[in-house]
Amino acid sequence: MHVKPAASALHRVVDSGRRLTESWAGSPRALDVLTALSCLALMALDLPGLAAADNSLGGPLAAAVLAAGCSSLLVRRRMPWISYLAALLFLGWLHELTLIQFALYSVGRYRGRRAGILATLGYVAFALVLFYGVPGWPASRAETFSGFLSVVVPIGVLASAVGIAAYRHDLVAELAARRAESDVLHAVQQERTSVARDVHDFVGRELTLLTVRSEVLSTRARETTYAKDFEELADTARRAHLVLNEIIVQRGERASTPGVDGLAALAEESGRAGSPVRLVMDPDAHALSPLRQAAVYRVVQECLTNAAKHAHGETIEVSIAADGPRLRIAVSNALPARTPGRAPVSAGSGTASMSERVRSLGGDLTARYTGDSYEVVATLPRG
């Protein structure tokens, strides 16, 4: 008798686990955690040495100290200097060279060539001070200055150089993406101009003929019972012609699509129409390029429109999160308790249009039912 609720709960748990796995797989946060664990595993190989020689650290205490140092790598993207300072502390206190490699790579990788070079020079200078100022530092690794140069210096230079090379690779990839995006935007503008020209040339001509013909008929029917109808027809034709001229000739093309700054007004408008919206947006979304911001706006707009048609009155959850190189847009709403008596007017092409727009920018879009709700998830590369 309780099989169906239990199965529904199990389905929700499995669905939540799948979404969590998808959001973490390949994400920058997962990579940072893996990097910290890798560094900890390498440093753990030296636990016996730390317990025996380095400040008499016991096994559990040494493990806790190493874990604390490696945890600084979790913020290496936003604050790589924290892991760098922790690595220098480990270098002087524990004679540990593993963390400094990860730290120098992170500085070069996420702060560029100048910061990487400065960090490397600071590391070498700090190691020199330790070498000459601390007796026997470390006696087992660098008994002579040549030994110091052959062990300490290459470790830092190599790690920093690899990080700087990765940083330059990212810059080249971002430049290529922006160039491709600019080409797409230029192509879209050209297509709009072409469509505007065609509309003006062909539809404008027909409207002109319609206006002239309706005015002639209005004049001829002035003394008949149809005079008022023909006058209204002539006025309608003139207004249509004026609107066309305003849109096509004076503006040249449609007004540009709002960016993410327009989402708050869009949510407020949806709320006034009877479908409240809870909008959660990452501040980093404001740094997106105009073309990507337009795509985000259109995706959310279409989702709100669909929800208003098929689930009017239900709260709509909108989440826009920037996660490393990807932007995730998730829009979900609960399914209505009852099927509406009259099917909403819909061309059925909104989701396909959204998917095409997202794919044109190198992203992907999925729309699915998840138990008692409907969810649209789109991911875009940040640019």
Short mmCIF file of all heavy atoms in Angstrom, two decimals, residues 101-149:
data_model
loop_
_atom_site.label_atom_id
_atom_site.label_comp_id
_atom_site.label_asym_id
_atom_site.label_seq_id
_atom_site.Cartn_x
_atom_site.Cartn_y
_atom_site.Cartn_z
N GLN A 101 55.65 23.07 -4.91
CA GLN A 101 55.47 22.78 -6.33
C GLN A 101 54.04 23.06 -6.77
O GLN A 101 53.80 23.72 -7.80
CB GLN A 101 55.85 21.33 -6.63
CG GLN A 101 57.28 20.97 -6.28
CD GLN A 101 57.56 19.50 -6.47
OE1 GLN A 101 57.41 18.97 -7.56
NE2 GLN A 101 57.98 18.82 -5.41
N PHE A 102 53.08 22.57 -6.00
CA PHE A 102 51.67 22.82 -6.32
C PHE A 102 51.35 24.31 -6.22
O PHE A 102 50.58 24.85 -7.02
CB PHE A 102 50.77 22.02 -5.38
CG PHE A 102 50.75 20.55 -5.65
CD1 PHE A 102 51.70 19.71 -5.10
CD2 PHE A 102 49.77 19.99 -6.47
CE1 PHE A 102 51.67 18.34 -5.35
CE2 PHE A 102 49.74 18.64 -6.73
CZ PHE A 102 50.70 17.80 -6.17
N ALA A 103 51.94 24.98 -5.23
CA ALA A 103 51.65 26.40 -5.03
C ALA A 103 52.21 27.25 -6.16
O ALA A 103 51.52 28.15 -6.67
CB ALA A 103 52.23 26.85 -3.69
N LEU A 104 53.43 26.99 -6.57
CA LEU A 104 54.02 27.77 -7.67
C LEU A 104 53.28 27.52 -8.98
O LEU A 104 53.08 28.45 -9.77
CB LEU A 104 55.50 27.41 -7.82
CG LEU A 104 56.43 27.97 -6.74
CD1 LEU A 104 57.83 27.41 -6.90
CD2 LEU A 104 56.46 29.49 -6.80
N TYR A 105 52.88 26.29 -9.21
CA TYR A 105 52.07 26.00 -10.41
C TYR A 105 50.77 26.80 -10.37
O TYR A 105 50.35 27.38 -11.37
CB TYR A 105 51.77 24.51 -10.50
CG TYR A 105 50.74 24.18 -11.55
CD1 TYR A 105 51.11 24.03 -12.89
CD2 TYR A 105 49.40 24.05 -11.22
CE1 TYR A 105 50.17 23.75 -13.86
CE2 TYR A 105 48.45 23.77 -12.19
CZ TYR A 105 48.83 23.61 -13.50
OH TYR A 105 47.89 23.34 -14.47
N SER A 106 50.13 26.85 -9.21
CA SER A 106 48.84 27.54 -9.10
C SER A 106 49.00 29.04 -9.32
O SER A 106 48.16 29.67 -9.98
CB SER A 106 48.22 27.27 -7.72
OG SER A 106 48.01 25.89 -7.53
N VAL A 107 50.06 29.63 -8.79
CA VAL A 107 50.28 31.07 -9.00
C VAL A 107 50.48 31.36 -10.48
O VAL A 107 49.88 32.29 -11.04
CB VAL A 107 51.49 31.56 -8.17
CG1 VAL A 107 51.83 33.00 -8.54
CG2 VAL A 107 51.19 31.45 -6.68
N GLY A 108 51.35 30.60 -11.14
CA GLY A 108 51.55 30.81 -12.57
C GLY A 108 50.32 30.51 -13.39
O GLY A 108 50.03 31.19 -14.39
N ARG A 109 49.55 29.50 -12.97
CA ARG A 109 48.38 29.05 -13.73
C ARG A 109 47.23 30.04 -13.67
O ARG A 109 46.52 30.25 -14.66
CB ARG A 109 47.93 27.69 -13.16
CG ARG A 109 46.65 27.14 -13.75
CD ARG A 109 46.91 26.64 -15.18
NE ARG A 109 45.77 25.90 -15.66
CZ ARG A 109 44.63 26.44 -16.08
NH1 ARG A 109 44.48 27.74 -16.05
NH2 ARG A 109 43.64 25.69 -16.51
N TYR A 110 47.05 30.69 -12.52
CA TYR A 110 45.87 31.53 -12.34
C TYR A 110 46.19 33.01 -12.16
O TYR A 110 45.26 33.81 -12.06
CB TYR A 110 45.06 31.03 -11.13
CG TYR A 110 44.61 29.61 -11.30
CD1 TYR A 110 45.15 28.59 -10.53
CD2 TYR A 110 43.66 29.28 -12.27
CE1 TYR A 110 44.75 27.27 -10.69
CE2 TYR A 110 43.26 27.98 -12.44
CZ TYR A 110 43.81 26.97 -11.66
OH TYR A 110 43.41 25.67 -11.85
N ARG A 111 47.47 33.38 -12.13
CA ARG A 111 47.83 34.79 -12.04
C ARG A 111 48.77 35.24 -13.16
O ARG A 111 49.10 36.42 -13.25
CB ARG A 111 48.47 35.09 -10.67
CG ARG A 111 47.50 35.04 -9.51
CD ARG A 111 46.43 36.09 -9.67
NE ARG A 111 45.47 36.06 -8.57
CZ ARG A 111 44.33 35.39 -8.59
NH1 ARG A 111 44.00 34.69 -9.68
NH2 ARG A 111 43.51 35.41 -7.57
N GLY A 112 49.24 34.35 -13.98
CA GLY A 112 50.00 34.75 -15.14
C GLY A 112 51.50 34.75 -14.96
O GLY A 112 52.04 34.39 -13.90
N ARG A 113 52.18 35.18 -16.04
CA ARG A 113 53.64 35.09 -16.09
C ARG A 113 54.33 35.96 -15.04
O ARG A 113 55.24 35.49 -14.34
CB ARG A 113 54.13 35.48 -17.49
CG ARG A 113 55.64 35.38 -17.66
CD ARG A 113 56.04 35.73 -19.08
NE ARG A 113 55.69 37.11 -19.40
CZ ARG A 113 55.92 37.68 -20.57
NH1 ARG A 113 56.48 36.98 -21.54
NH2 ARG A 113 55.58 38.93 -20.79
N ARG A 114 53.90 37.21 -14.91
CA ARG A 114 54.60 38.10 -13.98
C ARG A 114 54.50 37.59 -12.55
O ARG A 114 55.51 37.54 -11.83
CB ARG A 114 54.00 39.50 -14.08
CG ARG A 114 54.65 40.52 -13.15
CD ARG A 114 54.07 41.89 -13.34
NE ARG A 114 54.30 42.38 -14.70
CZ ARG A 114 53.85 43.55 -15.15
NH1 ARG A 114 53.17 44.35 -14.34
NH2 ARG A 114 54.09 43.93 -16.39
N ALA A 115 53.30 37.21 -12.14
CA ALA A 115 53.13 36.69 -10.78
C ALA A 115 53.90 35.39 -10.59
O ALA A 115 54.50 35.17 -9.52
CB ALA A 115 51.64 36.46 -10.49
N GLY A 116 53.93 34.53 -11.62
CA GLY A 116 54.67 33.28 -11.51
C GLY A 116 56.16 33.50 -11.34
O GLY A 116 56.82 32.83 -10.53
N ILE A 117 56.71 34.45 -12.11
CA ILE A 117 58.14 34.75 -12.00
C ILE A 117 58.47 35.34 -10.62
O ILE A 117 59.46 34.96 -9.98
CB ILE A 117 58.57 35.70 -13.12
CG1 ILE A 117 58.46 34.99 -14.48
CG2 ILE A 117 60.00 36.21 -12.90
CD1 ILE A 117 58.74 35.89 -15.67
N LEU A 118 57.64 36.29 -10.15
CA LEU A 118 57.87 36.88 -8.84
C LEU A 118 57.80 35.83 -7.73
O LEU A 118 58.61 35.83 -6.79
CB LEU A 118 56.85 37.99 -8.58
CG LEU A 118 57.01 39.27 -9.41
CD1 LEU A 118 55.87 40.24 -9.11
CD2 LEU A 118 58.36 39.94 -9.13
N ALA A 119 56.82 34.92 -7.85
CA ALA A 119 56.69 33.87 -6.83
C ALA A 119 57.90 32.95 -6.85
O ALA A 119 58.40 32.54 -5.79
CB ALA A 119 55.41 33.08 -7.08
N THR A 120 58.41 32.63 -8.03
CA THR A 120 59.58 31.76 -8.13
C THR A 120 60.82 32.44 -7.55
O THR A 120 61.59 31.81 -6.80
CB THR A 120 59.84 31.38 -9.59
OG1 THR A 120 58.66 30.77 -10.14
CG2 THR A 120 60.99 30.41 -9.72
N LEU A 121 61.01 33.72 -7.86
CA LEU A 121 62.16 34.45 -7.31
C LEU A 121 62.05 34.55 -5.79
O LEU A 121 63.06 34.42 -5.07
CB LEU A 121 62.24 35.84 -7.93
CG LEU A 121 62.58 35.90 -9.43
CD1 LEU A 121 62.54 37.35 -9.93
CD2 LEU A 121 63.95 35.28 -9.68
N GLY A 122 60.84 34.80 -5.29
CA GLY A 122 60.65 34.85 -3.84
C GLY A 122 60.95 33.52 -3.18
O GLY A 122 61.56 33.47 -2.10
N TYR A 123 60.52 32.43 -3.83
CA TYR A 123 60.80 31.09 -3.29
C TYR A 123 62.30 30.81 -3.25
O TYR A 123 62.83 30.32 -2.24
CB TYR A 123 60.06 30.07 -4.15
CG TYR A 123 60.69 28.70 -4.18
CD1 TYR A 123 60.63 27.85 -3.07
CD2 TYR A 123 61.33 28.24 -5.33
CE1 TYR A 123 61.20 26.60 -3.11
CE2 TYR A 123 61.90 26.99 -5.38
CZ TYR A 123 61.84 26.17 -4.25
OH TYR A 123 62.41 24.92 -4.30
N VAL A 124 63.01 31.11 -4.34
CA VAL A 124 64.45 30.86 -4.38
C VAL A 124 65.18 31.72 -3.35
O VAL A 124 66.10 31.25 -2.65
CB VAL A 124 65.00 31.12 -5.80
CG1 VAL A 124 66.52 31.02 -5.82
CG2 VAL A 124 64.40 30.13 -6.80
N ALA A 125 64.78 33.00 -3.23
CA ALA A 125 65.42 33.88 -2.24
C ALA A 125 65.17 33.39 -0.82
O ALA A 125 66.08 33.38 0.03
CB ALA A 125 64.89 35.31 -2.40
N PHE A 126 63.96 32.94 -0.55
CA PHE A 126 63.62 32.42 0.78
C PHE A 126 64.45 31.16 1.08
O PHE A 126 64.96 30.99 2.20
CB PHE A 126 62.13 32.11 0.84
CG PHE A 126 61.65 31.63 2.17
CD1 PHE A 126 61.53 32.50 3.24
CD2 PHE A 126 61.31 30.29 2.36
CE1 PHE A 126 61.09 32.05 4.48
CE2 PHE A 126 60.86 29.85 3.59
CZ PHE A 126 60.76 30.73 4.66
N ALA A 127 64.58 30.29 0.07
CA ALA A 127 65.37 29.07 0.26
C ALA A 127 66.84 29.40 0.48
O ALA A 127 67.53 28.74 1.29
CB ALA A 127 65.19 28.15 -0.95
N LEU A 128 67.36 30.43 -0.20
CA LEU A 128 68.75 30.84 0.01
C LEU A 128 68.97 31.34 1.44
O LEU A 128 69.99 31.04 2.08
CB LEU A 128 69.12 31.93 -0.99
CG LEU A 128 69.53 31.46 -2.39
CD1 LEU A 128 69.70 32.65 -3.32
CD2 LEU A 128 70.84 30.66 -2.32
N VAL A 129 68.02 32.12 1.93
CA VAL A 129 68.13 32.61 3.30
C VAL A 129 68.15 31.44 4.28
O VAL A 129 68.93 31.41 5.24
CB VAL A 129 66.96 33.56 3.62
CG1 VAL A 129 66.93 33.90 5.12
CG2 VAL A 129 67.08 34.83 2.81
N LEU A 130 67.30 30.45 4.03
CA LEU A 130 67.29 29.28 4.89
C LEU A 130 68.59 28.50 4.79
O LEU A 130 69.13 27.99 5.78
CB LEU A 130 66.10 28.37 4.52
CG LEU A 130 64.70 28.92 4.80
CD1 LEU A 130 63.64 27.96 4.25
CD2 LEU A 130 64.49 29.14 6.29
N PHE A 131 69.11 28.39 3.55
CA PHE A 131 70.32 27.62 3.32
C PHE A 131 71.51 28.22 4.06
O PHE A 131 72.31 27.50 4.67
CB PHE A 131 70.59 27.56 1.82
CG PHE A 131 71.81 26.74 1.46
CD1 PHE A 131 71.73 25.35 1.40
CD2 PHE A 131 73.02 27.34 1.18
CE1 PHE A 131 72.83 24.60 1.07
CE2 PHE A 131 74.13 26.60 0.84
CZ PHE A 131 74.04 25.22 0.78
N TYR A 132 71.61 29.55 4.02
CA TYR A 132 72.76 30.20 4.66
C TYR A 132 72.49 30.61 6.11
O TYR A 132 73.41 30.76 6.91
CB TYR A 132 73.18 31.45 3.87
CG TYR A 132 73.91 31.12 2.60
CD1 TYR A 132 73.31 31.31 1.36
CD2 TYR A 132 75.21 30.62 2.64
CE1 TYR A 132 73.97 31.00 0.18
CE2 TYR A 132 75.89 30.31 1.46
CZ TYR A 132 75.26 30.49 0.24
OH TYR A 132 75.92 30.19 -0.92
N GLY A 133 71.19 30.81 6.44
CA GLY A 133 70.90 31.32 7.78
C GLY A 133 70.52 30.25 8.78
O GLY A 133 70.59 30.50 10.00
N VAL A 134 70.10 29.09 8.34
CA VAL A 134 69.69 28.02 9.25
C VAL A 134 70.71 26.89 9.15
O VAL A 134 70.82 26.25 8.10
CB VAL A 134 68.28 27.51 8.91
CG1 VAL A 134 67.86 26.39 9.87
CG2 VAL A 134 67.27 28.66 8.95
N PRO A 135 71.46 26.65 10.17
CA PRO A 135 72.50 25.59 10.10
C PRO A 135 71.87 24.23 9.81
O PRO A 135 70.87 23.84 10.40
CB PRO A 135 73.13 25.63 11.49
CG PRO A 135 72.81 26.98 12.03
CD PRO A 135 71.48 27.36 11.45
N GLY A 136 72.48 23.52 8.85
CA GLY A 136 72.05 22.17 8.53
C GLY A 136 70.73 22.10 7.80
O GLY A 136 70.09 21.04 7.79
N TRP A 137 70.31 23.21 7.15
CA TRP A 137 69.03 23.17 6.44
C TRP A 137 69.22 22.76 5.00
O TRP A 137 69.90 23.49 4.27
CB TRP A 137 68.33 24.51 6.46
CG TRP A 137 66.99 24.43 5.79
CD1 TRP A 137 65.80 24.20 6.38
CD2 TRP A 137 66.72 24.62 4.40
NE1 TRP A 137 64.81 24.21 5.45
CE2 TRP A 137 65.34 24.47 4.21
CE3 TRP A 137 67.52 24.87 3.26
CZ2 TRP A 137 64.72 24.57 2.97
CZ3 TRP A 137 66.91 24.97 2.03
CH2 TRP A 137 65.52 24.83 1.88
N PRO A 138 68.47 21.80 4.51
CA PRO A 138 68.30 20.55 5.25
C PRO A 138 69.50 19.69 4.94
O PRO A 138 69.85 19.50 3.78
CB PRO A 138 67.02 19.95 4.69
CG PRO A 138 66.96 20.49 3.28
CD PRO A 138 67.70 21.79 3.24
N ALA A 139 70.18 19.15 5.90
CA ALA A 139 71.46 18.46 5.71
C ALA A 139 71.34 17.27 4.79
O ALA A 139 72.26 16.95 4.04
CB ALA A 139 72.01 18.02 7.06
N SER A 140 70.21 16.63 4.77
CA SER A 140 70.06 15.42 3.94
C SER A 140 69.79 15.74 2.49
O SER A 140 69.84 14.85 1.65
CB SER A 140 68.91 14.57 4.50
OG SER A 140 67.69 15.33 4.48
N ARG A 141 69.50 17.01 2.17
CA ARG A 141 69.12 17.31 0.79
C ARG A 141 70.09 18.26 0.09
O ARG A 141 70.20 18.25 -1.11
CB ARG A 141 67.71 17.93 0.75
CG ARG A 141 66.62 16.93 1.13
CD ARG A 141 65.26 17.57 1.04
NE ARG A 141 64.20 16.65 1.41
CZ ARG A 141 62.94 16.98 1.59
NH1 ARG A 141 62.57 18.23 1.41
NH2 ARG A 141 62.04 16.08 1.93
N ALA A 142 70.72 19.12 0.81
CA ALA A 142 71.56 20.12 0.14
C ALA A 142 72.76 20.44 1.01
O ALA A 142 72.81 21.46 1.69
CB ALA A 142 70.74 21.38 -0.13
N GLU A 143 73.72 19.53 1.04
CA GLU A 143 74.91 19.74 1.86
C GLU A 143 75.83 20.80 1.27
O GLU A 143 76.60 21.42 1.98
CB GLU A 143 75.66 18.42 2.02
CG GLU A 143 74.85 17.36 2.78
CD GLU A 143 75.63 16.07 2.92
OE1 GLU A 143 76.72 16.01 2.32
OE2 GLU A 143 75.16 15.15 3.60
N THR A 144 75.75 21.01 -0.01
CA THR A 144 76.57 22.02 -0.67
C THR A 144 75.67 22.94 -1.48
O THR A 144 74.51 22.65 -1.73
CB THR A 144 77.60 21.36 -1.62
OG1 THR A 144 76.89 20.68 -2.67
CG2 THR A 144 78.46 20.35 -0.86
N PHE A 145 76.24 24.08 -1.87
CA PHE A 145 75.48 25.03 -2.67
C PHE A 145 75.10 24.44 -4.03
O PHE A 145 74.01 24.71 -4.55
CB PHE A 145 76.28 26.32 -2.85
CG PHE A 145 75.54 27.39 -3.57
CD1 PHE A 145 74.46 28.03 -2.96
CD2 PHE A 145 75.91 27.77 -4.86
CE1 PHE A 145 73.77 29.02 -3.63
CE2 PHE A 145 75.22 28.76 -5.52
CZ PHE A 145 74.15 29.40 -4.91
N SER A 146 75.98 23.64 -4.61
CA SER A 146 75.65 23.00 -5.89
C SER A 146 74.50 22.02 -5.73
O SER A 146 73.63 21.90 -6.60
CB SER A 146 76.89 22.27 -6.44
OG SER A 146 77.32 21.25 -5.54
N GLY A 147 74.48 21.33 -4.56
CA GLY A 147 73.35 20.45 -4.31
C GLY A 147 72.05 21.23 -4.15
O GLY A 147 70.98 20.80 -4.60
N PHE A 148 72.15 22.37 -3.52
CA PHE A 148 70.99 23.25 -3.37
C PHE A 148 70.46 23.67 -4.74
O PHE A 148 69.25 23.61 -5.01
CB PHE A 148 71.40 24.46 -2.54
CG PHE A 148 70.37 25.57 -2.52
CD1 PHE A 148 69.32 25.53 -1.64
CD2 PHE A 148 70.49 26.64 -3.39
CE1 PHE A 148 68.39 26.56 -1.62
CE2 PHE A 148 69.57 27.66 -3.37
CZ PHE A 148 68.50 27.63 -2.49
N LEU A 149 71.39 24.10 -5.62
CA LEU A 149 70.96 24.55 -6.95
C LEU A 149 70.38 23.42 -7.78
O LEU A 149 69.50 23.64 -8.61
CB LEU A 149 72.15 25.18 -7.68
CG LEU A 149 72.70 26.49 -7.12
CD1 LEU A 149 73.90 26.95 -7.94
CD2 LEU A 149 71.62 27.57 -7.13
#
